[in-house]
Amino acid sequence: MSGEDFQFDSGQMALYVHIPFCTSKCCYCSFYSEPIIDHDSKALVSALIKEMEKYADADFRTAYIGGGSPSCLASEQLLRLVEKITHRFPDIAEFTVEANPGQLTPDTLVQLLNAGVNRLSIGAQSFNTVELEFLGRRHTVDAINATVSTAKNIGFKNINLDLIFAVPGSNLDSWSKSLNAAIALGVQHISAYSLTFEQGTLLEKLLQLGEVEPLPEELDRQMYELAIDTLSANGFTQYEISNFSKSEFECLHNLTYWANHPYVGIGPAAGSFYDGHRTINMADIKKYIAAIQRDGDPVTQTEEPNEIEFACETAVLNLRRTQGIDMGEYEQLTGYDPLELFADTIDKYLKMKLLKIQSGKICLTRDALPIADSILCDFSVI
Amino acid sequence: MTTEHIRNFSIIAHIDHGKSTLADRMLELTGLIDERDKKEQLLDNMELERERGITIKASAVTMPYTYEGKEYMLNLIDTPGHVDFHYEVSRALAACEGALLVVDASQGVEAQTVANAYLAMETDTELLGVINKVDLASAQPERVAEEIEHILGIRKNECFKISAKTGVGVADLLDAIVAFLPPPEDNSDKPAAALIFDSHCDDYRGVICYVRVFAGELKVKQKIKLMGVDRSYQISELGKFTPEMTPTDKLGTGEVGYVIANIKQLADVTIGDTITDENAPAAEPLVGYKPPMQMVFSDFYPGNNTDYPKLRIAFDKLALNDSSFSFVPQSSPALGFGFRCGFLGLLHMEIIQERLERENDIDVIQTAPTVSYEIVTNDGKTKRIDSPSQLPDMAYVEELREPFVKLEIITGKDSIGAIMKLADDRRCKLLKTDYLSPARVMLEYKAPLAEIVYDFYDLLKGISRGYATMDYEFTAFEKSNLVKIDILVNKIKVDALSLIVHRDNAAAKGRRIIIRLRRAIPRHQFEIPLQIAIGGKIIARETIKAFRKDVTAKLYGGDVTRKMKVLKRQKEGKKRMKSIGSVQIPQKAFMSILDTSE
Ligand SMILES: Nc1nc2c(ncn2[C@@H]2O[C@H](COP(=O)(O)OP(=O)(O)OP(=O)(O)O)[C@@H](O)[C@H]2O)c(=O)[nH]1
Ligand code: SF4
Ligand SMILES: [Mg+2]
């Protein structure tokens, strides 16, 4: 797709800001982050703000400060960044900041709320101390509880908890306890991720050395199904493979990705899909700062999907949502009728009852969710 | 040149005993190549020959040589040593009066040494024994000379001891060729008769026939007839290999060279046919050859059905340059349209596969190789089938026959026990034991081809620590107690996975196969039952469990490009398999049915 004919709906635009700092590395984590003590975080925030200036005319509807750990920034730096964003883009409807339990003081939380942040995403991961330790998390179960209740008291009305299941050593019972503990905190949104052995992580190394073993596939599946069942019994709706929310509390920001709408990512290693181009910024804090300071381009990778590639991407991303591919919306966005473009694949999976079509939408069935990749890969190329 | 001054000889030997290297030295000594053009195994000029370091196709070269002050013309034919290309040796021998039997001084007499020596004796070819590689520290020329004398009857004190590498003894050998090998018979006054002993196809010039003139002469512009196929042509060019093709005006009696006569396709000439003069033809064609026998067959199907025409074009091209490779259209209920291909042996099959892959971009699914069988039906008709799937209902089959070979194994005496056990497991019957020397023995067996053609040689090498060598020769189809094993994948019979085996070990084999198939077929979105049936009765089953979890947990903005690539790779993996019903079967599953390892 060429830049000229790419029509994006700027009303749907999302702004992501990547804070590439953590206090220490969790064993499973493949995000780009470095120890904060090694870096000048003030310079980074300045660079982020400067990179953002390039998009001063954009009309962002959502903002998301993620990482890394935004919560490990000094509060004045975090606030400086938030205020800049809300000042620049006053129409932001959903503004999320990621926080690790115990990392933000009540004061900072108040200031964030006042500055326009209206959603918190808290990296709880587990309510089991042994699992937290295994994962290399530096917080306690108490810290999760405390952070959530403080945030609620202060007035945050939209809180997400991230949870990880299928941790080696865990079982259905411990997972059920974590789920119920999260539900009991009265949050509006829960993301439940199966533990992945990502390349380049300590966890993957341990796997290769034979020091850890993944849980059996069948148990992983049962845990996933337990999450779906438990959460739905408690008023949560699954709206994406790993995401559940109370009604009206879907994460608008993340929905932008699965709609395959444009978004801008700011900061080291951040990805953007803007003007028909998929780009990724350099994953090097110092080089990133230097590039921004001398008005250079922080992008290291650019790809320009052609029409068919864009159509395939859109199908794959849409199908991750429980609402699936909205055929009208899809045709408007990509120019293709999905029933024609993927005729054989759709036909095959309808017969296998792994896809269903209802009220103009093509979506995965419940049986398909745990094995979604094996189906989505058939939509990844024509 | 009069026939008195011509010597025609082949160089024959076991694999790697140094035939092509010896040819190099002779080309140098006779001044055909100088220092500048020198390269090892110069006559192995096909890309695959150079890569594999083996000779696949025989090649001829004409060398001038002065002996006792007189000019001679020496025609050398270098031959391949591998058993698959045995027929090339017999063709070369038919074009020569003599042959050099080369034996490696450190390895001694091996299976193809014996087989090739016998071929030479059958055709009354005069043999000179040549013990090569005497430069090696491990060389034992005296012991090897004894073996040669004992097993082949060539006197040990008449063997030449040379090093093709250093050149030691090669000049004396050239003298001996003139002194001891007989000249061709002088038939120069008779009608022209030339034997086509080989051919190849050139993109620009069409078919090039390698010929040996036995009577009369061939000239440029001459009208000729191929006696066997009864077709006429006109010679546009003829000449000699020096080693490149060098045109001459004529080829006289006794000479070896090439003929080009506007023949378009290899299929238009039969190796072993006689070229004669159109107007003054010879009364009788020369004694030709039996066409080489294809020993193994395998089906090739395009991974993607729309590639069928592409595959046909690719095979056409391969057959154009290899008349011992054949293919016929074949259709399988499970696999769709493809081709049944015939090969001289597994090495030949590998070479064709490799060319197919190298020269074309087609995903191919190949079935496990099989030998051919003979059936006698109820109505008394005998029919050859070269695929288990062609076997009719056994109710219509009176008798099932399989090919048997004479198998010769030469080995050190330490491994005799292990080899005899292996041969016994493979239904081989010992016919004869013959000691080459106190330490080495030759075992002769009657063996079912199907038992020795696939992995037997590798096993033999393994248990003899590399020392044993083998050679085999087809003898006859004979009645055997055979049954067909059918394999059902997801309840569908996959004909391309069927195989024919001896009844005694059918059940055990079936059970092993199904376990290997279970491992070779990847898990799917659903459970896949596998069943083995013998004579319509299910004797074993296995299940490939469905995978239960396969989903990317996180997919957000920055990951899209990378995750799409992962999915595409997953999809590519599926494409390289053959879909049967809704099951994707990878190439390795087809081959796994031959794997005999536990
Ligand atoms: N040391 C030593 N090595 C030799 C001699 N002659 C040949 N070789 C080596 O033996 C190997 C096989 O030689 P080739 O000439 O290719 O043998 P070949 O008999 O033509 O082999 P095929 O055509 O495959 O049957 C090569 O590595 C040669 O360099 C020799 O006299 N001495
Ligand atoms: S999981 Fe979060 S806190 Fe842990 S290393 Fe990764 S980005 Fe940092
Ligand atoms: Mg050779």
Side-chain angles (χ1 to χ4, degrees), chain B residues 393-458:
Chain B
D393 191 324
M394 287 310 278
Y396 302 101
V397 179
E398 190 66 42
E399 194 174 303
L400 193 47
R401 298 172 181 161
E402 66 176 323
F404 279 82
V405 296
K406 185 176 94 177
L407 169 70
E408 276 168 0
I409 299 172
I410 293 182
T411 187
K413 116 176 163 288
D414 303 347
S415 49
I416 294 178
I419 289 176
M420 284 190 161
K421 163 137 200 336
L422 172 68
D424 203 45
D425 287 348
R426 296 300 180 91
R427 301 189 282 129
C428 302
K429 270 206 199 70
L430 185 63
L431 301 177
K432 214 163 83 185
T433 318
D434 198 347
Y435 274 85
L436 278 68
S437 67
R440 302 210 324 140
V441 66
M442 181 161 104
L443 306 170
E444 192 183 307
Y445 284 96
K446 175 180 169 183
L449 178 62
E451 298 282 356
I452 58 125
V453 78
Y454 312 122
D455 58 344
F456 190 83
Y457 187 58
D458 290 337

Side-chain angles (χ1 to χ4, degrees), chain A residues 31 193-194 196 198 217-218 220-221 224 241-243 254 257-258 263 278 280 303 312-313 316-317 320 349 352 354 369-378 380-381, chain B residues 523-526 545-575 579 581-584:
Chain A
F31 293 121
Y193 303 113
S194 171
T196 319
E198 295 278 355
E217 196 178 281
E218 186 60 40
D220 185 338
R221 172 155 174 155
Y224 182 47
I241 282 173
S242 305
N243 284 282
N254 289 340
Y257 300 138
W258 303 314
Y263 53 88
R278 281 196 192 283
I280 296 183
E303 276 185 43
C312 289
E313 275 173 5
V316 167
L317 292 166
R320 286 188 64 94
Y349 288 121
M352 290 171 72
L354 293 172
L369 292 174
I371 55 168
D373 283 4
S374 70
I375 298 154
L376 294 190
C377 72
D378 287 335
S380 69
V381 274
Chain B
R523 291 186 302 158
H524 280 56
Q525 290 150 331
F526 44 88
K545 295 236 165 64
F547 52 71
R548 301 287 289 155
K549 193 99 193 313
D550 178 18
V551 58
T552 304
K554 290 189 185 183
L555 209 174
Y556 297 105
D559 304 329
V560 174
T561 307
R562 196 168 59 91
K563 291 282 153 70
M564 284 299 291
K565 278 189 187 133
V566 172
L567 288 175
K568 279 185 202 161
R569 228 175 295 134
Q570 188 169 351
K571 172 79 180 175
E572 285 303 313
K574 282 194 192 180
K575 267 210 213 142
S579 178
S582 43
V583 180
Q584 310 280 333

